[in-house]
Amino acid sequence: MEEDSFPRGGTVQKTDSADRTRQNRRDGPAQDNLFMPRPDEKKKGKKQRKKKAEKSAEKTKRESTSEAGEEEEGSLPNLVTSVQVLSYKKLVTGMPVLGCVKEVSDCDLTLSLPDGLIGFVQISRISDTLTQILQEYAEGSDHTDEDLPTLPKLYQPGMVVRCVIAEVARSKSGHPRILLSLNPRDVNQGLQGTTLKPGMVLSGCVASIEDHGYTVDLGVKGTRAFLNRAETQEYLQNRQMDDPMRPGQPVLCLVRSVVSGGRSVNLSISPTLLQKAVAKADQDLTLDTLTAGTLVETTVTSVQNHGVLAEFLGFTGSVSRVHVPTKRSEQYRKGQRVKACILYIHPTTKRVALSFQSRLWDGRTMVDIQEFPTIGTIYKKVPVVHVWSGIGVTLKLGDETAGFAAVSQLSDQPVENIETTFKPGTQHSCRVISCSPLDGQTIVSLKKSVIEQPFLCLQDLKPGQIVEGKITSVLSSGIAVSLSNYVRGVVSSIHLADIILKNPAKKFNEGDNIKCRVLNVALERRQLALTHKKTLLSSKLPILASYQAAKPGMWAHGFILAILEYGCIVMFYNNVKGLLPKREMSQESVEDPRKLFYRGQVVKCRVMTCNPAQEKLRLSLKPENSGTAVAPDFEVGKMVDVEVTEVKPDSLGVKVQGSGTPGFLPMMHLSDHQENCPLVLSRYSAGDVIQGAMYCCSRATGAAAVTSGQVVERFADLQTDRVLCGWVRTVRSFGVFVEFPGGWVGLAPKAAVSDRFIEDCTSLFEEGQSVVAKVTEVDSEKQRFLVSLKPSECPLPAEGGTAVETLASLLSERDKAVQQLKATQGSDLSSQLGKVLSATVTNVQEAGMVLSIPDLQDLTAVASKTHCEGTDLNVGDTTRVCILHVDIPNNIAEVSLRSDLLEHAGEKGKKKNKGKMKKGGELACTVLDAKAKYLLVAFDGEEGLAYVTRKWHPNRGSNVGMGDSQIGEKCKIRVVKVMQGGGVIAVPAGKKTEGRKDGREEPRAERAREEKKNRKRKREESDGQDGAQACEEEGQNQAKKIEIGAAVNVVVTAKARDHLEVKIKGPGHKQEGIVHISEVKDDVREGEAPMAKFQPGSVVSGRVIGISHNCKKVKNLKSLPFSRPGFEEVVYDVSLRESVVKADKDFEKFSLPNEKERTDAYKEDQRVMFYVESFQDSHLEVSISPGVQGKIDLLSLSDKVEDLENPSAVFKSKCGYLGTITSIDKESSTLHLSRLSKASKLSPGLVVNAQVAKKVPGRLVVSLPFGCKGYADLTDLSDSYSSHPMGTFKVNQFLKCCVLECSSKRHVRVSLRLSKIGGKARNVKDPDYETVEDIVEGDIVRGYVEDFNKYGVFAALSHKVKGRVQYKHATSYFVRNQQELKKHFPVGKLLTAKVLEVSYESSHLELSLLEKDTGAPDPLPNTCGYPLRASKDQKDKKRKERGKEKEEKGRKKKRKVERDSEEDDSGVEIAVMKSTDEEEESVPVKQSSEEQRPSSSKKPHLTLTSGFSWGEELEVSKVAVKDSESEDEDDPDTEISQPPKKKSKKEREEERKANDKKLYKAELALLDEDRAPQSADDFDRLVLSSPDSSILWLRYMAFHLHSTDIDKARTVAERALKTISFREEKEKLNVWVALMNLENMYGTEESLMAVFQRALQHNDALTIYKQLVNIYKRTDKTEEADQLYVAMVKRFRGNKEVWISYGRFLMEKKRADAAHILMQRSLKSLDNRDHLEVISRFAVMEFKLGDVERGRTMFENILSNYPRQVNVWSVYLEMLIKTGDLDQVRLAFDRVTALNLSTKNMKGFFKRYLEFEKKYGDEDTVSAVKRKAIEYVETKAGDVATT
């Protein structure tokens, strides 16, 4: 029901008073209610009110009758009477609302709000603290990227947050957009310091880090909030956070205490306390102070159809049906107490929305969002469970999954009344479009247009994927493309075409369909980048979408992103970038890359090196091994003879005879015929001489160019219409790049490569092909030129230009190479051509077969798919083959298995007719094979082979009559030439022998071809105008010709994912058919691909098993041609199985049943063969039979875990495998399968695969086969417990587990113990106890902490056996506060305990953790600071000591009284002590009984029974006590008060002297300053005397380390840091370094980093970094040192020593390439004045640790630029001397002594030169140095005299 015009405000304090008020208002006078009409108004407006009531009757029926009537009589403020749904229209600025984080990006958050709404939070509205940190970072503060608190670090999907509505804006498309604020200042705006009460839960963020905790910003003015560090331990452990909290981190806090009237509060973030924090009445909360997310106790007041009404704290709230956890809201009854959470509070209407879903407060700050279905999932026929009037409907998607569809998503057409159209129980199909984590429901759409969308989110797209869309807008910056209603992408201006378009609007229009390729998917920014470059769309090279995929030598297409001075940045897919250096752009040097390339240009690059860790890629445009040395006498076109020095797989290394200049001769330059190049290369060996080679080319065309003067030496020599001979360098779709002698490269555009129209140049030319080109345009400014390759414009040379001569040259060159190989190898493989031999199949693939020929063991036979037609062979079968071609270099023979060719080649009795072999003779023949330049034919009835030319011009393809000939076709040829070796060259009969020299055809032939094209075009147009009616009639006529069961011959037209598309042979070939993969072959082996041997064009026999007339099904066959959407096509289901084809009578049993009945033939637990279609995230989609699909869960795919890591490598696409049916879904005709060998459902004891889903405190959650969920307790993770049991497990990890309990599908307990799984458990250290009977008293056991409460510590020894540890047995330390002790026993901590008591009746265990019982260290560290718990003996001893002290005080008091009253002492009797010389013990003398008997008239007497010892020394008394103790130990029955054994006077004297002697020695030792300390007391005295000496403190630490007491050593270090004066910085630094060394050797990485961070705060940062990196290097922690160096060069990028130190480290670790890159980086970061020193230092490193030659080159480069740098010369000379290259040293000394330096420097160099020669030279060299020195002095003297 809608709200009244007047909002209901105010609050009611108590529920009972509210009820009384409501009753009073019902019974009281009407005029007391301001909202009720006055009596006089009733008479006047009675009819009007009646009409109004009738109009609202329909609306009133939808609400609760009792509640509606109650509101009509009058309602109190906040008395909500109906359940409403939140919508955009009801949102108000400042409204508090609870949200759940749905998506996290770098700049904003996407939140899920109640009732399916979506809100956004900008990064500037998170908190003031975060905003300040970002501003400081932007202004250049010392914050690093690691320290910056980005949103992904602070928030996670599923986090529940409190927010307020900041603004409800409109997007550009007009849709509402909710902007939220998480700032505590806005969230807690209704709070003040005085309103804060203990127990309140507030939102805040960490403002700063203090010594003992954190200050938290609550947004309450004048209030300071503090969070103790101890209160964060449970929170960090629950979140599995290793690092402490950082400033800006959001926290949900519980107010523990309020101090000074709200000016200071203490907080806690313990999840346990937050779950129990319920708002109470004593907190005096109002609707203004209540915040969303507050937990309250409610009382149900009404249960309605849409939800529940409840009261809390005097307010009324509504609970929507969505937030009622039970399946039916009627289960709640009036008066029931339920815990609820506030979702939002409307500030205007005072309406409060609540939620009964406990998942919002069980985790308190986190909600599991992984339980929702994947976006895009389609559900068919799901029922409607509830209808929200005017809002939407709720559907049941699964057992525990609900979906909500809003009114706008119910249909593509407007729905007038959803109650009648979508009644509860009706079934509909829907698709998941989103999810609402806060509501716990899935958002779906019932629109047909949405269900049929190809893409719903960016996650559905992958880089490199080809997609089609529609243009929505065209701008100068690019075009926007809509791939679906939910996915849109952008094609930038540089990606609209292969070239840059100046005006895209001329080519692209809005609404046009466009084909693109996905360039990049940016999920964080929600951006999709596409490309429309034709080269990228048609590229068949690998898609380079990750740095890991880049392998050296790999070729890939990319585009130039930026052009720099040193090279180009090339970008590939998925933002993969690489550097293309200048020297790798071309064979020639490139001065300015801008002259060769432009931004956006597509280039074909070769990967040289790749470093995936650093995301660095180095590219090249040159082929491998393309670099050669340039000869000194190099002259383009010069003819030379060269000698082969090295034979490489793709080139020859040569040297010029005479000069010895090395050269490089590529394989493609060895011949004009590319097919002969490998053969020619194989004939050469080292030492062979090649005559007539030319600089830049060794081809016949190159020689012709020289002799005819066609070599272009300068660019100015390029003139228009000049014809040149060259070769194809690169082929692109838009044109061909032609290279000419001299290195000049011209472009032949697509329009200038042929006389006829072509769409793609790649099909016409190949790289390395020799061509004749004509220059058409020259651009002298940019030094570019265009050429034409049209045969009509490029005349052939005078000789060798005809097709016959070209083919003769090819064959002659081949015969010459074969004869040379025959002479060297002794075998003539070419003589095998045309022969029929026996062969064995060794491999069968889609492209053909591989065979082995016993008669030719050195050859590998290959048969292409064309030559395998009509065969059905498997590996190991024997067959006959016909030899067609022999590739001698690669030992490969091309053969044919076609029966028609074998019959022709194997004919017997062929004649040898030599007469017709002469020129001009005509013969009948059969085509055996087709090559690019010729056809291989065999004569009919006669022996011999002939080559029929197919090429008249080198620039054009086939244009002769047999250019379209088929293999095996009969034809007639005319012999035109007979080679010397016996080869025959022929042309088709009727053709002239030679064509025209200019390459043009005769005009008659050209006209005939044009007429043929025109006739064909007219015929196609007339066919298109016939309409659908003619096609329909034709289809019906054809359908009548073929019936089910008919045997047919089909031609394969295409191969789809799970079927073959065929055409049934008949008139016109119009009958279309499909062959399901299961109907291809009878017996399919596992892993076999039955469709592999079928290729387009294959003709096979089959039988029709079904007919389909459904047009929609034909549309679903995406690969079938479909051009008329209204035409009902006939499609035949054909079977190729041999059993079906041969079943002439019983074929009816093979016919396909009705589609709905096709699953009836299958039963559960049946074994079936399935065929792999595609892999999804969690399952495998397979095909089983026509119309029957299947699914296999990933975990049910194999019993082997290793197969699940990469299932696509084990289960190949289109291959068959066996599986077991687990369930059948008849509605969708889907079978659920499993390949597990043991069972089809889970049962206890079963070992199955599992996948780690998530890690929660105390257990590991795993996914199991058959859609089950399970968990493993800590005690079930391993047979040997560890301190970090879940550290070895990662999310999504595959593993084996054993099912222990299976109570439901979602609650399965498993064990990961090897002893349970069945593996080899070497040592079961911690058994899985079943009962306490397996344990006896005294056993040492281990377990994990499970709980800590007032009764003690409870440990889980196994899942079924638990034990208790009382506090007195938990630790040896006395801890008064249990909460302090609880911090040392977190849940999951590993404990070692001793069994003290076993109660078999109650299954109770009492354990002890004391060190004396277990032998293990105490659970509390010895640095905890707590006192030790006193033992029983110590307590008795202390009790006796306290008694003695009291007695001693009593005696002293008695003596005093005795002295004061000696005369009047009648009230006290004193026992007289007797002393003798023999003993010094006092023995009391007994009085008479009469004296002892007290008188009744006297006061009580005090008796002093102990005496005094006057003459004993202190040490003597101590010895006596020790003796007494020893005697007591020997005799336990002896009483403590028993006097010691008497000693003689002599013994006492000797004992006293010995004690004095010991005391004297001890005093002398203390006085000796040189005495080494022997104990901790000695060290304490030393550090007290010299507190600022770090040496003493370090020796003190070493003393404890020698005794392996690490904790005490740490304590000493901490004492030293506190004791040493702050002025002694070096002394403190020594202690810090020692402490880091200690943590590095004995601590963990976390403890080391903690000390490191502290050291940075108290010392110079660079010094600490250097010390730590030295520690890493000394302990061989290379990886850690490398990571630290990376941080150092980033933080101290301006310090040259850091770069040099890092470089030395890399060189020492043999990482020279990384050091070279580092030096280049350093030069960009350092000042110019530091460059010289850095380069020289790196050069020294090369001399010492790397390549000496590189170091020499670096020094030479420095000295060439700075020749007068004396220090560089000195270092260079020293390095050269150490290398031992005396000639280089002398050369360097001669150079430096020839410089014009100062006299002092020259004297030093001459002196070093002389010392060098004295040490390494002889008398002559020494004399030469002296002469040079004298000449220098004389020259200087002459200069002085002249001046």
Side-chain angles (χ1 to χ4, degrees), residues 31 80 136 281 435 493 556 580 620 958 1179 1263 1319 1535 1569:
Q31 59 269 24
V80 181
E136 294 175 356
C435 65
S493 58
L580 176 62
S620 174
S958 172
H1179 66 276
S1263 298
E1535 296 183 0
E1569 297 179 356

Side-chain angles (χ1 to χ4, degrees), residues 600-613:
Q601 180 177 348
V602 179
V603 291
K604 179 182 177 182
C605 304
R606 176 173 58 88
V607 177
M608 298 177 61
T609 59
C610 180
N611 188 344

Side-chain angles (χ1 to χ4, degrees), residues 552-595:
M554 171 184 175
W555 289 88
H557 274 127
F559 65 94
I560 295 178
L561 181 65
I563 304 176
L564 307 174
E565 296 180 357
Y566 52 87
C568 297
I569 304 299
V570 181
M571 177 176 282
F572 301 91
Y573 299 92
N574 200 20
N575 279 338
V576 176
K577 302 176 185 177
L579 173 64
L580 176 62
K582 288 171 56 176
R583 60 176 176 270
E584 295 297 331
M585 292 180 178
S586 174
Q587 301 284 4
E588 305 295 332
S589 61
V590 178
E591 296 181 359
D592 188 2
R594 296 178 180 85
K595 295 182 179 180

Side-chain angles (χ1 to χ4, degrees), residues 609-623:
T609 59
C610 180
N611 188 344
Q614 300 181 358
E615 295 186 351
K616 291 186 177 180
L617 197 63
R618 195 175 181 88
L619 308 171
S620 174
L621 298 182
K622 300 189 297 185

Side-chain angles (χ1 to χ4, degrees), residues 162 197-202 252-256 268-283 285 290-297 313 339-342 360-364:
R162 303 181 179 191
K197 304 293 182 181
M200 296 177 65
V201 179
L202 306 175
L252 192 64
C253 310
L254 174 68
V255 178
R256 295 294 297 270
S268 175
I269 59 173
S270 172
T272 304
L273 298 178
L274 288 173
Q275 293 178 16
K276 301 177 182 178
V278 181
K280 299 179 181 179
D282 57 358
Q283 295 177 355
L285 296 173
L290 275 174
T291 58
T294 303
L295 196 61
V296 295
E297 287 285 348
L313 301 177
K339 187 181 293 186
C341 177
I342 296 178
L360 294 180
W361 63 78
D362 283 349
R364 201 59 187 174

Side-chain angles (χ1 to χ4, degrees), residues 1466-1514:
S1466 58
V1468 180
E1469 294 183 358
I1470 300 175
V1472 180
M1473 307 303 294
K1474 181 178 179 180
S1475 178
T1476 61
D1477 295 339
E1478 288 80 13
E1479 62 185 43
E1480 300 203 7
E1481 295 294 331
S1482 301
V1483 181
V1485 181
K1486 295 183 179 180
Q1487 303 292 333
S1488 61
S1489 60
E1490 297 179 356
E1491 294 176 350
Q1492 291 180 2
R1493 186 180 302 112
S1495 174
S1496 60
S1497 62
K1498 295 183 179 180
K1499 298 179 181 180
H1501 295 118
L1502 295 175
T1503 303
L1504 189 61
T1505 59
S1506 61
F1508 297 89
S1509 178
W1510 302 100
E1512 294 286 332
E1513 292 291 333
L1514 179 61

Side-chain angles (χ1 to χ4, degrees), residues 1241-1291:
K1241 60 181 180 179
L1242 298 183
S1243 60
L1246 183 65
V1247 177
V1248 294
N1249 300 324
Q1251 186 179 19
V1252 178
K1254 59 182 178 179
K1255 296 188 287 186
V1256 298
R1259 63 176 49 179
L1260 189 72
V1261 181
V1262 296
S1263 298
L1264 299 174
F1266 318 119
C1268 297
K1269 285 286 186 180
Y1271 68 92
D1273 293 331
L1274 295 181
T1275 55
D1276 293 325
L1277 297 181
S1278 175
D1279 286 316
S1280 179
Y1281 298 160
S1282 62
S1283 56
H1284 300 285
M1286 289 195 293
T1288 59
F1289 300 98
K1290 298 180 180 179
V1291 178

